[in-house]
Amino acid sequence: KNEVEQSPQNLTAQEGEFITINCSYSVGISALHWLQQHPGGGIVSLFMLSSGKKKHGRLIATINIQEKHSSLHITASHPRDSAVYICAALGGSNYKLTFGKGTLLTVNP
Amino acid sequence: NAGVTQTPKFRVLKTGQSMTLLCAQDMNHEYMYWYRQDPGMGLRLIHYSVGEGTTAKGEVPDGYNVSRLKKQNFLLGLESAAPSQTSVYFCASRQQGGAEAFFGQGTRLTVV
């Protein structure tokens, strides 16, 4: 069983919809990382957070350490947001990242 | 500032051939990692390094070796390639503490 679970695995939305992707982890962590990967492309860091909430443009990430849960929200989604979104937990030892399997988001115009 | 650079970007190998993937970072990061990404499996850690001259095994180290002779470079070697090593390989680096990771563009390797 993967220590980091993402849901849903696949998500299809219409342009303009509000998107939520969830990440749960079963290990103690020091921080959680949200990443984006476009088809056939590289991996880009979106957020690294250890508490509360962070916002960047239309993207918002939240984390609840007690519940071992994080969410990534996209407001006013756009077709260019179509990508795989990956969460990764940074372990208590502070050097290893454990990855979820990713959520494939497709935003239709 | 190039960030993390991987070479090559694509490669086709015959079974039994050897090759080295190079990862270079110009951010003076302490930690460097090699991952492989396979469909339905997510990113899996092959080997990692917490500083120059040190390396350690990750989840799937068999069939791979690594070296970190210089802080900025992390090399991944395949001594005798097998079809099971067909994958996309990503290198990443990060600073100590809770810092975010920076990824290379990936190397698509096919072993026939």
Side-chain angles (χ1 to χ4, degrees), chain A residues 2 4-6 86-89 98-102, chain B residues 41-43:
Chain A
N2 200 21
V4 178
E5 298 284 344
Q6 285 185 238
I86 304 167
C87 71
T98 302
F99 291 83
K101 293 185 180 180
Chain B
M41 302 290 287
L43 284 152

Side-chain angles (χ1 to χ4, degrees), chain B residues 93-110:
Chain B
S93 73
R94 49 184 289 273
Q95 195 47 281
Q96 289 177 320
E100 63 185 310
F102 292 83
F103 287 79
Q105 283 299 105
T107 296
R108 188 171 296 274
L109 175 67
T110 303

